Amino acid sequence: MRFLAVAALLASAAAFDSELGFELDEDGCVKEFKEGIDYFSAPRRAMFVKDDVGVPSKTTGFAKLFEIEYRLTFKIVRNKQTGDVFVLHHCGTPAVDPNTLPKDAANATTFSVPVKRVGTDTSVTLAFLEELGLFHKLVIADTSYATSPCLQKLERCGDTTHKASWWGDNETERIAHYDGVDEMSDLFFTSFAIANFTEEVRFSATGDPSLLGRAEWVKFVGAFFNKEPEANRVFRDIERSLVETQTVSYKQLAAYPSGGAPVIAFMAYNDCSGNPSWCPTIGGVAVTKYFQINRPEYKLEAILKAGCRPLSLSALDSNFHPVWGGPNRIIAVPDVKSLHEALTGVDVLVDETYEYNNTAYTMDTFLSNYEISHGDQDAFPFLRNDKVLRLDATLGKTIYGGTDWYEAGVIRPDVFVAELASYTYDLPDTFPAEMFMRNLATGHLPRVLTWEDAEPRCVCNATGADPVYNDCVDSVCIIQDLNTLPSPPSPPSPSPSDDGLSGGEIAGIVIGAVVGALLLLSVIFLVSKEKAGKPIFKPYTEVVKESNYNGEPPQTEAA
């Protein structure tokens, strides 16, 4: 299953509007507005807590580049990377009084939420929308590089319209390209500013430096649809999965020979001779062919959480030069001899070389690019151990055959780390590696997904699931598991010969009432303990990320 969280979420969705003190109509709008009611109270908020229980009062969490602030009838969402501020006004309530807005939101774009129609020209956003079960609202998207079988199916049946992204520099042409998009959608997620386009919202998840910080942008997306509680559960599921992987990986690390750790390097070969303007200057000389080591912070974090270590910078000689993204983030070398010397200490190599036709990229392609002959393979641990990986295991049968890594890699760091650990420590039964990574050294070929691979729950002309809410006692809330929420039972069929209840039915009702009461008392007891400062729920163990990698300064934010 490509997206684990959504299936459980849809199966367990149930509406509890009566707990909120007001009713919502079929569009999610307030039916009858009443002054003084908090329409974004604790059960409906994003929860930025490190444990399962907490007060949803914080405005940010793992993610460092966005925050959400709640008021009675609206919320303020800030993208701290771009400086964009959005006011999300609950439909069915009076218009926002400008005098109640903070200074930075005085001229903010206002959206009526929940948004009815959404569009996007970024593949990353697609995965966030799919995880939240929002594809039924996706009316326009750039499907050129899409991988999702469900999206391919929705485009095929006409629910979603393809609209290619614009990559040119001409502003007039860019505006003309997006003409009409604002009439099709009420909200348009994009990665850059589109002039004169009021519905645009820049999505900056890839700019957040940490693995969970990037994934937590699911709460940013959810805020525009009043889906924060669903986003809380999706994120919690991902966080738990990541911690479980880390626990297994560290057990493997403890048993690793000589007390060391496997070394992983993310690398790429580049040939920019066809477009010299893209070539870097290394040591004062413009180069057209070079190799690079990719070291954004989230990849270094993933290596550590997989129970491994990154390639030490001390292993690089003076021919290696930082070229992009700050010190040591992308390090390039044109000299193949220096490259080979550095690679002698690499146990697992992840080859990120760009290839238009990924299915044609084989082990022979890799050896040719890195100028390694078959006779020299014993000099490199990653070749001796058959551990040459690529992030193109899953492709989509779309215009350009996009890779799932560039679509779902941001929101599924748990899968990314699990696959690193699986290949490094040979744990295929514990962590099946099939979503992002394939092993070139063993002849693993990419799989290509089509609309026919869509899961049964993906249907045309679909409607959304009923909302779910945080389980709260006063202002203290619990984030439930996605996979443990039971579906509501079907009511029994009445007996045609008896208008009354049988003894068994009466007993069942009594037992159910007693069990329900006990569960409620248990929740109240546990939450009261939390409020008293006596935690009951064990927090997830987050390994403190090393601030010094092999004696080098900490890395800058990720790509």
Side-chain angles (χ1 to χ4, degrees):
M1 183 179 294
R2 183 167 177 268
F3 285 92
L4 304 178
V6 176
L9 181 63
L10 296 180
S12 62
F16 298 99
D17 291 357
S18 60
E19 296 184 0
L20 303 178
F22 56 88
E23 289 187 83
L24 302 174
D25 63 21
E26 61 182 12
D27 293 323
C29 299
V30 175
K31 279 189 175 182
E32 183 180 351
F33 172 74
K34 295 181 180 179
E35 196 72 41
I37 289 181
D38 187 353
Y39 290 97
F40 290 115
S41 57
R44 306 187 75 192
R45 294 186 177 188
M47 290 182 63
F48 299 102
V49 295
K50 291 185 178 181
D51 302 333
D52 298 339
V53 178
V55 178
S57 58
K58 291 181 62 180
T59 60
T60 189
F62 287 98
K64 304 304 179 185
L65 298 181
F66 81 87
E67 63 181 19
I68 306 174
E69 177 185 343
Y70 291 93
R71 304 292 178 90
L72 295 182
T73 62
F74 63 92
K75 46 196 167 184
I76 302 170
V77 177
R78 297 177 175 89
N79 182 328
K80 295 195 286 186
Q81 183 181 62
T82 63
D84 297 332
V85 182
F86 308 101
V87 174
L88 310 187
H89 161 252
H90 202 310
C91 59
T93 66
V96 177
D97 181 354
N99 295 321
T100 64
L101 294 174
K103 185 177 180 180
D104 67 337
N107 298 313
T109 300
T110 298
F111 290 91
S112 178
V113 295
V115 167
K116 294 181 179 180
R117 305 173 302 168
V118 62
T120 183
D121 62 0
T122 72
S123 57
V124 171
T125 316
L126 294 173
F128 284 80
L129 292 170
E130 186 166 11
E131 277 285 10
L132 288 172
L134 291 169
F135 266 7
H136 66 289
K137 294 193 174 190
L138 182 63
V139 294
I140 183 170
D142 183 357
T143 61
S144 304
Y145 297 93
T147 307
S148 167
C150 186
L151 179 56
Q152 295 181 54
K153 180 177 179 178
L154 296 182
E155 181 185 6
R156 184 182 178 88
C157 66
D159 284 10
T160 302
T161 300
H162 166 67
K163 179 69 175 180
S165 305
W166 178 259
W167 297 101
D169 297 325
N170 187 298
E171 182 177 340
T172 301
E173 293 180 358
R174 183 172 71 248
I175 294 173
H177 177 79
Y178 287 101
D179 183 46
V181 169
D182 56 339
E183 298 176 2
M184 298 178 62
S185 62
D186 306 309
L187 162 67
F188 195 82
F189 287 115
T190 184
S191 56
F192 56 90
I194 306 172
N196 299 333
F197 195 73
T198 56
E199 289 79 10
E200 73 180 30
V201 171
R202 284 185 283 184
F203 188 69
S204 306
T206 56
D208 242 295
S210 69
L211 291 170
L212 287 174
R214 290 152 62 95
E216 197 169 34
W217 277 73
V218 68
K219 299 173 186 177
F220 177 93
V221 174
F224 289 84
F225 304 91
N226 293 343
K227 291 280 188 181
E228 289 98 317
E230 289 89 338
N232 291 337
R233 299 179 187 195
V234 168
F235 180 76
R236 181 188 183 281
D237 206 42
I238 292 169
E239 182 185 8
R240 166 171 285 186
S241 175
L242 182 59
V243 171
E244 289 174 351
T245 296
Q246 189 174 342
T247 300
V248 173
S249 299
Y250 277 30
K251 289 180 180 178
Q252 298 294 320
L253 174 62
Y256 197 73
S258 303
V263 174
I264 297 179
F266 288 83
M267 305 202 65
Y269 164 72
N270 296 279
D271 183 350
C272 54
S273 56
N275 194 338
S277 62
W278 293 0
C279 299
T281 298
I282 300 178
V285 179
V287 297
T288 57
K289 294 183 180 181
Y290 62 97
F291 304 92
Q292 70 184 52
I293 302 174
N294 299 325
R295 292 171 57 91
E297 187 169 298
Y298 79 93
K299 284 180 178 172
L300 295 178
E301 182 185 357
I303 291 172
L304 292 173
K305 288 184 182 299
C308 305
R309 291 292 181 269
L311 177 63
S312 172
L313 295 181
S314 63
L316 310 182
D317 63 23
S318 59
N319 288 314
F320 287 83
H321 301 272
V323 289
W324 287 299
N328 306 327
R329 181 171 160 196
I330 295 180
I331 305 170
V333 58
D335 182 72
V336 71
K337 180 180 178 181
S338 295
L339 172 74
H340 287 177
E341 289 178 357
L343 294 183
T344 57
V346 175
D347 298 289
V348 179
L349 189 146
V350 183
D351 178 24
E352 298 187 276
T353 301
Y354 172 76
E355 172 58 51
Y356 176 78
N357 182 9
N358 285 292
T359 57
Y361 199 100
T362 66
M363 189 63 183
D364 287 337
T365 312
F366 167 80
L367 293 174
S368 175
N369 286 340
Y370 286 76
E371 299 185 34
I372 299 174
S373 66
H374 288 280
D376 295 334
Q377 292 188 44
D378 288 344
F380 305 104
F382 58 87
L383 292 179
R384 292 198 305 267
N385 301 325
D386 289 334
K387 297 186 188 299
V388 180
L389 312 179
R390 276 183 66 81
L391 289 163
D392 60 2
T394 305
L395 311 176
K397 194 174 183 180
T398 47
I399 298 174
Y400 298 118
T403 64
D404 202 24
W405 166 248
Y406 290 112
E407 184 170 316
V410 175
I411 198 172
R412 295 307 302 270
D414 55 324
V415 175
F416 176 40
V417 174
E419 292 188 356
L420 273 180
S422 180
Y423 279 120
T424 301
Y425 289 110
D426 298 317
L427 303 171
D429 295 331
T430 306
F431 304 124
E434 58 181 19
M435 189 168 175
F436 299 138
M437 294 188 173
R438 65 179 175 114
N439 192 344
L440 286 177
T442 58
H444 185 189
L445 298 175
R447 61 170 180 161
V448 180
L449 299 178
T450 73
W451 69 271
E452 295 178 307
D453 295 307
E455 297 173 11
R457 64 182 174 84
C458 176
V459 296
C460 299
N461 301 313
T463 57
D466 291 333
V468 298
Y469 302 113
N470 304 324
D471 286 348
C472 302
V473 176
D474 296 329
S475 60
V476 181
C477 302
I478 303 173
I479 300 176
Q480 295 281 15
D481 283 333
L482 282 170
N483 298 315
T484 57
L485 292 176
S487 299
S490 301
S493 301
S495 171
S497 60
D498 186 2
D499 293 335
L501 295 174
S502 68
E505 289 171 330
I506 294 173
I509 292 173
V510 172
I511 293 172
V514 171
V515 171
L518 289 175
L519 287 174
L520 179 60
L521 289 173
S522 297
V523 170
I524 294 173
F525 169 74
L526 294 175
V527 172
S528 65
K529 283 288 195 178
E530 291 285 337
K531 294 174 86 172
K534 300 175 181 179
I536 299 296
F537 294 90
K538 184 179 180 180
Y540 294 139
T541 303
E542 270 294 319
V543 173
V544 178
K545 188 167 47 177
E546 294 186 12
S547 61
N548 188 317
Y549 297 100
N550 302 307
E552 297 296 331
Q555 303 303 299
T556 55
E557 64 187 30

